[in-house]
Amino acid sequence: GLILVQSQYVTGSNVSSITFDNLDGDTHKNYFLISRVYLPSGVGAGGATLNVTLRPNGLTTNIATTYRSSVNASTSHGSWALAHPLISAGATSHGLTITDIWATTGKPRFIKSNYSWYSSGLSALVDTEEVTRWSDTTTNITSLVIYGDISNVQQAIIGVNSEFHLYRYEV
């Protein structure tokens, strides 16, 4: 079963990052993260993409991600580097993401997310699947950093009422 490791809530004001620390990926083996993300209105220039990403140990090295996205019945495929996206959207959006993280060392780790989000700017519901391969096989996962940015510049875009729940499990 799932064992809750930690929950974090954004209250009071928007934040630029959230860190789950004191982890031991080799002992815990697998993590499951449930994220409910709110992107605030009034941030970013017109058409800017706001990104909330997951970074093992806060790192952006040895990361390769592919994604498949569907917007109002159209589908796109692409790739991403540097971090694992939890949501990538326009301002005034909200979404739900479920993420599976293979945490043990000795082999490349995979991070897989499915997220659905709504953007008032697009007036659309978007469904996206992301898969990341972290090719570092020796570094133990001791933290997971959730990072908010606009065009790769860290900003406080993780909105009030966002919540994150990290679980561990064995298969």
Side-chain angles (χ1 to χ4, degrees):
L2 296 175
I3 299 168
L4 181 65
V5 174
Q6 191 176 43
S7 290
Q8 298 208 26
Y9 303 88
V10 179
T11 60
S13 61
N14 304 333
V15 298
S16 61
S17 68
I18 291 187
T19 301
F20 290 97
D21 53 13
N22 299 314
L23 304 178
D24 184 345
D26 282 341
T27 299
H28 294 157
K29 299 184 181 176
N30 300 288
Y31 293 109
F32 186 72
L33 177 66
I34 299 172
S35 307
R36 185 178 314 270
V37 181
Y38 290 90
L39 299 176
S41 62
V43 296
T49 299
L50 287 64
N51 302 298
V52 177
T53 58
L54 178 67
R55 299 174 180 197
N57 297 339
L59 300 173
T60 58
T61 55
N62 301 312
I63 299 279
T65 299
T66 60
Y67 67 87
R68 179 178 56 211
S69 181
S70 176
V71 181
N72 287 347
S74 65
T75 301
S76 64
H77 301 274
S79 62
W80 179 288
L82 304 179
H84 179 80
L86 295 178
I87 189 170
S88 182
T92 317
S93 299
H94 60 277
L96 176 65
T97 304
I98 56 171
T99 306
D100 191 28
I101 303 158
W102 299 358
T104 54
T105 58
K107 59 188 173 294
R109 272 66 64 86
F110 291 98
I111 304 169
K112 183 177 188 292
S113 288
N114 289 85
Y115 63 86
S116 297
W117 57 271
Y118 176 79
S119 172
S120 60
L122 289 175
S123 296
L125 180 62
V126 179
D127 187 51
T128 301
E129 180 178 60
E130 309 272 358
V131 180
T132 295
R133 179 179 183 265
W134 188 36
S135 61
D136 181 337
T137 61
T138 60
T139 304
N140 189 21
I141 293 176
T142 57
S143 68
L144 294 170
V145 179
I146 298 169
Y147 181 91
D149 75 71
I150 300 174
S151 301
N152 295 318
V153 176
Q154 186 172 8
Q155 296 191 35
I157 62 159
I158 303 170
V160 172
N161 296 322
S162 294
E163 56 186 77
F164 304 87
H165 307 279
L166 182 66
Y167 297 85
R168 65 180 174 88
Y169 69 94
E170 288 188 39
V171 289

